[in-house]
mmCIF file of all heavy atoms in Angstrom:
data_model
loop_
_atom_site.group_PDB
_atom_site.id
_atom_site.type_symbol
_atom_site.label_atom_id
_atom_site.label_comp_id
_atom_site.label_asym_id
_atom_site.label_seq_id
_atom_site.Cartn_x
_atom_site.Cartn_y
_atom_site.Cartn_z
ATOM 1 N N PHE A 401 -34.660 25.834 61.655
ATOM 2 C CA PHE A 401 -33.998 26.666 60.648
ATOM 3 C C PHE A 401 -32.484 26.464 60.735
ATOM 4 O O PHE A 401 -31.940 26.255 61.818
ATOM 5 C CB PHE A 401 -34.290 28.144 60.878
ATOM 6 C CG PHE A 401 -35.707 28.576 60.626
ATOM 7 C CD1 PHE A 401 -36.733 27.666 60.413
ATOM 8 C CD2 PHE A 401 -36.017 29.941 60.583
ATOM 9 C CE1 PHE A 401 -38.032 28.076 60.175
ATOM 10 C CE2 PHE A 401 -37.315 30.378 60.343
ATOM 11 C CZ PHE A 401 -38.323 29.437 60.152
ATOM 12 N N THR A 402 -31.833 26.572 59.586
ATOM 13 C CA THR A 402 -30.377 26.484 59.535
ATOM 14 C C THR A 402 -29.833 27.591 58.656
ATOM 15 O O THR A 402 -30.254 27.734 57.501
ATOM 16 C CB THR A 402 -29.924 25.127 58.970
ATOM 17 O OG1 THR A 402 -30.468 24.066 59.775
ATOM 18 C CG2 THR A 402 -28.407 25.016 58.981
ATOM 19 N N ILE A 403 -28.896 28.366 59.204
ATOM 20 C CA ILE A 403 -28.229 29.412 58.429
ATOM 21 C C ILE A 403 -26.871 28.873 57.995
ATOM 22 O O ILE A 403 -26.183 28.190 58.760
ATOM 23 C CB ILE A 403 -28.094 30.719 59.242
ATOM 24 C CG1 ILE A 403 -27.587 31.857 58.358
ATOM 25 C CG2 ILE A 403 -27.232 30.528 60.480
ATOM 26 C CD1 ILE A 403 -27.650 33.236 59.035
ATOM 27 N N SER A 404 -26.499 29.163 56.763
ATOM 28 C CA SER A 404 -25.209 28.702 56.253
ATOM 29 C C SER A 404 -24.694 29.716 55.240
ATOM 30 O O SER A 404 -25.411 30.639 54.859
ATOM 31 C CB SER A 404 -25.356 27.320 55.594
ATOM 32 O OG SER A 404 -26.237 27.384 54.494
ATOM 33 N N ARG A 405 -23.437 29.523 54.829
ATOM 34 C CA ARG A 405 -22.852 30.465 53.870
ATOM 35 C C ARG A 405 -22.076 29.711 52.811
ATOM 36 O O ARG A 405 -21.580 28.611 53.041
ATOM 37 C CB ARG A 405 -21.927 31.446 54.585
ATOM 38 C CG ARG A 405 -20.587 30.825 55.029
ATOM 39 C CD ARG A 405 -19.919 31.597 56.058
ATOM 40 N NE ARG A 405 -18.564 31.225 56.398
ATOM 41 C CZ ARG A 405 -18.140 30.050 56.863
ATOM 42 N NH1 ARG A 405 -18.987 29.029 56.976
ATOM 43 N NH2 ARG A 405 -16.884 29.853 57.205
ATOM 44 N N ASP A 406 -21.966 30.343 51.659
ATOM 45 C CA ASP A 406 -21.130 29.835 50.571
ATOM 46 C C ASP A 406 -20.087 30.907 50.312
ATOM 47 O O ASP A 406 -20.404 31.978 49.788
ATOM 48 C CB ASP A 406 -21.986 29.585 49.330
ATOM 49 C CG ASP A 406 -21.187 28.979 48.187
ATOM 50 O OD1 ASP A 406 -20.006 29.365 47.995
ATOM 51 O OD2 ASP A 406 -21.736 28.140 47.468
ATOM 52 N N ASP A 407 -18.864 30.626 50.688
ATOM 53 C CA ASP A 407 -17.809 31.632 50.607
ATOM 54 C C ASP A 407 -17.505 32.011 49.161
ATOM 55 O O ASP A 407 -17.231 33.165 48.864
ATOM 56 C CB ASP A 407 -16.546 31.113 51.290
ATOM 57 C CG ASP A 407 -15.519 32.212 51.459
ATOM 58 O OD1 ASP A 407 -15.803 33.196 52.177
ATOM 59 O OD2 ASP A 407 -14.433 32.120 50.860
ATOM 60 N N ALA A 408 -17.559 31.069 48.276
ATOM 61 C CA ALA A 408 -17.243 31.356 46.874
ATOM 62 C C ALA A 408 -18.293 32.267 46.244
ATOM 63 O O ALA A 408 -17.969 33.135 45.437
ATOM 64 C CB ALA A 408 -17.126 30.054 46.093
ATOM 65 N N LYS A 409 -19.551 32.079 46.619
ATOM 66 C CA LYS A 409 -20.641 32.876 46.048
ATOM 67 C C LYS A 409 -20.982 34.100 46.890
ATOM 68 O O LYS A 409 -21.838 34.897 46.491
ATOM 69 C CB LYS A 409 -21.893 32.010 45.889
ATOM 70 C CG LYS A 409 -21.724 30.850 44.917
ATOM 71 C CD LYS A 409 -23.020 30.055 44.815
ATOM 72 C CE LYS A 409 -22.864 28.901 43.831
ATOM 73 N NZ LYS A 409 -24.112 28.095 43.729
ATOM 74 N N ILE A 410 -20.345 34.242 48.024
ATOM 75 C CA ILE A 410 -20.663 35.325 48.977
ATOM 76 C C ILE A 410 -22.172 35.387 49.190
ATOM 77 O O ILE A 410 -22.825 36.424 49.040
ATOM 78 C CB ILE A 410 -20.137 36.691 48.490
ATOM 79 C CG1 ILE A 410 -18.753 36.558 47.882
ATOM 80 C CG2 ILE A 410 -20.065 37.687 49.677
ATOM 81 C CD1 ILE A 410 -17.693 36.097 48.872
ATOM 82 N N THR A 411 -22.721 34.244 49.532
ATOM 83 C CA THR A 411 -24.165 34.097 49.697
ATOM 84 C C THR A 411 -24.458 33.411 51.022
ATOM 85 O O THR A 411 -23.754 32.476 51.414
ATOM 86 C CB THR A 411 -24.754 33.283 48.533
ATOM 87 O OG1 THR A 411 -24.547 34.005 47.311
ATOM 88 C CG2 THR A 411 -26.255 33.060 48.714
ATOM 89 N N VAL A 412 -25.495 33.892 51.681
ATOM 90 C CA VAL A 412 -25.972 33.292 52.910
ATOM 91 C C VAL A 412 -27.337 32.671 52.637
ATOM 92 O O VAL A 412 -28.151 33.242 51.901
ATOM 93 C CB VAL A 412 -26.078 34.342 54.040
ATOM 94 C CG1 VAL A 412 -26.823 33.795 55.229
ATOM 95 C CG2 VAL A 412 -24.706 34.803 54.459
ATOM 96 N N TYR A 413 -27.576 31.529 53.244
ATOM 97 C CA TYR A 413 -28.828 30.814 53.066
ATOM 98 C C TYR A 413 -29.542 30.655 54.401
ATOM 99 O O TYR A 413 -28.902 30.585 55.451
ATOM 100 C CB TYR A 413 -28.564 29.424 52.479
ATOM 101 C CG TYR A 413 -27.819 29.453 51.170
ATOM 102 C CD1 TYR A 413 -26.439 29.257 51.134
ATOM 103 C CD2 TYR A 413 -28.484 29.689 49.975
ATOM 104 C CE1 TYR A 413 -25.747 29.287 49.931
ATOM 105 C CE2 TYR A 413 -27.803 29.720 48.772
ATOM 106 C CZ TYR A 413 -26.427 29.523 48.753
ATOM 107 O OH TYR A 413 -25.749 29.560 47.564
ATOM 108 N N LEU A 414 -30.850 30.577 54.330
ATOM 109 C CA LEU A 414 -31.650 30.224 55.500
ATOM 110 C C LEU A 414 -32.571 29.082 55.076
ATOM 111 O O LEU A 414 -33.536 29.299 54.347
ATOM 112 C CB LEU A 414 -32.458 31.413 56.012
ATOM 113 C CG LEU A 414 -33.223 31.151 57.313
ATOM 114 C CD1 LEU A 414 -32.229 30.978 58.477
ATOM 115 C CD2 LEU A 414 -34.202 32.277 57.620
ATOM 116 N N GLN A 415 -32.234 27.883 55.515
ATOM 117 C CA GLN A 415 -33.068 26.719 55.259
ATOM 118 C C GLN A 415 -34.116 26.640 56.354
ATOM 119 O O GLN A 415 -33.766 26.559 57.536
ATOM 120 C CB GLN A 415 -32.218 25.448 55.238
ATOM 121 C CG GLN A 415 -33.019 24.175 55.034
ATOM 122 C CD GLN A 415 -33.648 24.096 53.651
ATOM 123 O OE1 GLN A 415 -33.026 24.418 52.652
ATOM 124 N NE2 GLN A 415 -34.918 23.665 53.595
ATOM 125 N N MET A 416 -35.373 26.675 55.948
ATOM 126 C CA MET A 416 -36.466 26.692 56.910
ATOM 127 C C MET A 416 -37.295 25.430 56.740
ATOM 128 O O MET A 416 -37.902 25.220 55.685
ATOM 129 C CB MET A 416 -37.334 27.936 56.700
ATOM 130 C CG MET A 416 -36.550 29.237 56.741
ATOM 131 S SD MET A 416 -37.596 30.707 56.640
ATOM 132 C CE MET A 416 -38.249 30.526 54.986
ATOM 133 N N ASN A 417 -37.301 24.593 57.768
ATOM 134 C CA ASN A 417 -38.062 23.345 57.757
ATOM 135 C C ASN A 417 -39.162 23.386 58.810
ATOM 136 O O ASN A 417 -39.135 24.220 59.709
ATOM 137 C CB ASN A 417 -37.129 22.160 58.027
ATOM 138 C CG ASN A 417 -36.050 22.003 56.981
ATOM 139 O OD1 ASN A 417 -36.237 22.324 55.796
ATOM 140 N ND2 ASN A 417 -34.897 21.494 57.393
ATOM 141 N N SER A 418 -40.101 22.470 58.692
ATOM 142 C CA SER A 418 -41.206 22.368 59.659
ATOM 143 C C SER A 418 -41.847 23.733 59.894
ATOM 144 O O SER A 418 -42.069 24.147 61.035
ATOM 145 C CB SER A 418 -40.698 21.776 60.984
ATOM 146 O OG SER A 418 -40.122 20.512 60.795
ATOM 147 N N LEU A 419 -42.143 24.424 58.829
ATOM 148 C CA LEU A 419 -42.677 25.781 58.929
ATOM 149 C C LEU A 419 -44.049 25.786 59.584
ATOM 150 O O LEU A 419 -44.853 24.853 59.419
ATOM 151 C CB LEU A 419 -42.734 26.427 57.556
ATOM 152 C CG LEU A 419 -41.380 26.923 57.041
ATOM 153 C CD1 LEU A 419 -41.388 27.129 55.534
ATOM 154 C CD2 LEU A 419 -40.988 28.225 57.749
ATOM 155 N N LYS A 420 -44.292 26.839 60.332
ATOM 156 C CA LYS A 420 -45.545 27.032 61.052
ATOM 157 C C LYS A 420 -46.199 28.323 60.583
ATOM 158 O O LYS A 420 -45.506 29.238 60.121
ATOM 159 C CB LYS A 420 -45.274 27.137 62.548
ATOM 160 C CG LYS A 420 -44.495 25.979 63.144
ATOM 161 C CD LYS A 420 -44.154 26.271 64.600
ATOM 162 C CE LYS A 420 -43.339 25.147 65.218
ATOM 163 N NZ LYS A 420 -42.989 25.443 66.633
ATOM 164 N N PRO A 421 -47.512 28.460 60.743
ATOM 165 C CA PRO A 421 -48.168 29.731 60.390
ATOM 166 C C PRO A 421 -47.542 30.933 61.106
ATOM 167 O O PRO A 421 -47.487 32.024 60.539
ATOM 168 C CB PRO A 421 -49.617 29.497 60.823
ATOM 169 C CG PRO A 421 -49.808 28.027 60.656
ATOM 170 C CD PRO A 421 -48.497 27.409 61.063
ATOM 171 N N ASP A 422 -47.050 30.742 62.316
ATOM 172 C CA ASP A 422 -46.403 31.838 63.054
ATOM 173 C C ASP A 422 -45.107 32.304 62.415
ATOM 174 O O ASP A 422 -44.574 33.355 62.778
ATOM 175 C CB ASP A 422 -46.106 31.409 64.503
ATOM 176 C CG ASP A 422 -47.349 31.418 65.367
ATOM 177 O OD1 ASP A 422 -48.384 31.939 64.911
ATOM 178 O OD2 ASP A 422 -47.277 30.912 66.496
ATOM 179 N N ASP A 423 -44.581 31.540 61.464
ATOM 180 C CA ASP A 423 -43.368 31.955 60.760
ATOM 181 C C ASP A 423 -43.676 32.929 59.622
ATOM 182 O O ASP A 423 -42.755 33.467 58.996
ATOM 183 C CB ASP A 423 -42.639 30.738 60.181
ATOM 184 C CG ASP A 423 -42.103 29.801 61.247
ATOM 185 O OD1 ASP A 423 -41.550 30.295 62.242
ATOM 186 O OD2 ASP A 423 -42.238 28.571 61.080
ATOM 187 N N THR A 424 -44.944 33.162 59.348
ATOM 188 C CA THR A 424 -45.330 34.092 58.288
ATOM 189 C C THR A 424 -44.831 35.494 58.594
ATOM 190 O O THR A 424 -45.093 36.044 59.671
ATOM 191 C CB THR A 424 -46.863 34.107 58.130
ATOM 192 O OG1 THR A 424 -47.290 32.814 57.678
ATOM 193 C CG2 THR A 424 -47.299 35.161 57.126
ATOM 194 N N ALA A 425 -44.079 36.066 57.653
ATOM 195 C CA ALA A 425 -43.477 37.389 57.854
ATOM 196 C C ALA A 425 -42.716 37.777 56.586
ATOM 197 O O ALA A 425 -42.508 36.947 55.697
ATOM 198 C CB ALA A 425 -42.510 37.378 59.040
ATOM 199 N N VAL A 426 -42.284 39.026 56.562
ATOM 200 C CA VAL A 426 -41.280 39.447 55.587
ATOM 201 C C VAL A 426 -39.913 39.154 56.194
ATOM 202 O O VAL A 426 -39.634 39.585 57.322
ATOM 203 C CB VAL A 426 -41.413 40.941 55.252
ATOM 204 C CG1 VAL A 426 -40.252 41.380 54.354
ATOM 205 C CG2 VAL A 426 -42.749 41.217 54.584
ATOM 206 N N TYR A 427 -39.113 38.419 55.485
ATOM 207 C CA TYR A 427 -37.777 38.054 55.956
ATOM 208 C C TYR A 427 -36.753 38.967 55.305
ATOM 209 O O TYR A 427 -36.748 39.147 54.078
ATOM 210 C CB TYR A 427 -37.485 36.594 55.637
ATOM 211 C CG TYR A 427 -38.186 35.646 56.580
ATOM 212 C CD1 TYR A 427 -39.568 35.491 56.539
ATOM 213 C CD2 TYR A 427 -37.478 34.938 57.546
ATOM 214 C CE1 TYR A 427 -40.225 34.653 57.424
ATOM 215 C CE2 TYR A 427 -38.125 34.088 58.432
ATOM 216 C CZ TYR A 427 -39.494 33.952 58.364
ATOM 217 O OH TYR A 427 -40.137 33.113 59.247
ATOM 218 N N LEU A 428 -35.890 39.537 56.139
ATOM 219 C CA LEU A 428 -34.890 40.494 55.671
ATOM 220 C C LEU A 428 -33.494 39.994 55.968
ATOM 221 O O LEU A 428 -33.204 39.567 57.090
ATOM 222 C CB LEU A 428 -35.100 41.843 56.350
ATOM 223 C CG LEU A 428 -36.464 42.483 56.107
ATOM 224 C CD1 LEU A 428 -37.227 42.582 57.413
ATOM 225 C CD2 LEU A 428 -36.312 43.849 55.487
ATOM 226 N N CYS A 429 -32.651 40.079 54.969
ATOM 227 C CA CYS A 429 -31.242 39.763 55.130
ATOM 228 C C CYS A 429 -30.510 41.025 55.571
ATOM 229 O O CYS A 429 -30.843 42.131 55.120
ATOM 230 C CB CYS A 429 -30.691 39.273 53.803
ATOM 231 S SG CYS A 429 -28.928 38.928 53.786
ATOM 232 N N ALA A 430 -29.531 40.853 56.450
ATOM 233 C CA ALA A 430 -28.774 41.997 56.949
ATOM 234 C C ALA A 430 -27.299 41.641 57.033
ATOM 235 O O ALA A 430 -26.949 40.468 57.191
ATOM 236 C CB ALA A 430 -29.303 42.417 58.323
ATOM 237 N N ALA A 431 -26.458 42.662 56.957
ATOM 238 C CA ALA A 431 -25.016 42.424 57.006
ATOM 239 C C ALA A 431 -24.302 43.571 57.690
ATOM 240 O O ALA A 431 -24.753 44.721 57.638
ATOM 241 C CB ALA A 431 -24.453 42.236 55.597
#
């Protein structure tokens, strides 16, 4: 996984690769 941000859009991203069944969940953004 890679977390990144776009300062102009005030947006955070979570790029998730090589996903596994154990990654199944509700994902919540927090600040």
